[in-house]
Amino acid sequence: MSGVRTAAVVVAAADAPEAVKQAADVVCAGQDDHLAINAAIAGLPANGGRVHLTGGSYAIGAVAGTFGGVIIDRSNVLLTGEGSATRLRLQ
């Protein structure tokens, strides 16, 4: 499909360098980071898009009724990170 663009949202960890945080669309607080990540996913348009987690640590809490704290409940959503520099930890 030529000309179709998807949205991208950059989420920075609380312990990311200041320059990374300033360039990000969302900056996590270091506690309950799954809430900010889920809000970024929910904010993508209907045709989907990408949520990119910068390097750093993200505190992921449980969400009742799910197997984890980060919820992707529709197609065409890509959650990316920076390899081993992006760490998800259970809080």
Side-chain angles (χ1 to χ4, degrees), residues 26-72:
V26 177
V27 178
C28 290
Q31 185 73 18
D32 293 327
D33 294 336
H34 61 288
L35 299 175
I37 296 167
N38 288 338
I41 293 168
L44 292 173
N47 67 330
R50 177 172 66 107
V51 173
H52 179 75
L53 305 180
T54 67
S57 294
Y58 296 85
I60 306 299
V63 174
T66 70
F67 292 111
V70 176
I71 301 168
I72 299 175

Side-chain angles (χ1 to χ4, degrees), residues 2-91:
S2 179
V4 175
R5 297 180 57 137
T6 58
V9 178
V10 176
V11 179
D15 60 352
E18 194 58 38
V20 171
K21 290 193 239 183
Q22 289 179 2
D25 300 303
V26 177
V27 178
C28 290
Q31 185 73 18
D32 293 327
D33 294 336
H34 61 288
L35 299 175
I37 296 167
N38 288 338
I41 293 168
L44 292 173
N47 67 330
R50 177 172 66 107
V51 173
H52 179 75
L53 305 180
T54 67
S57 294
Y58 296 85
I60 306 299
V63 174
T66 70
F67 292 111
V70 176
I71 301 168
I72 299 175
D73 59 357
R74 59 190 166 120
S75 298
N76 302 317
V77 172
L78 184 62
L79 181 65
T80 62
E82 296 179 3
S84 62
T86 302
R87 296 170 306 281
L88 304 180
R89 61 177 175 78
L90 297 176
Q91 58 183 26

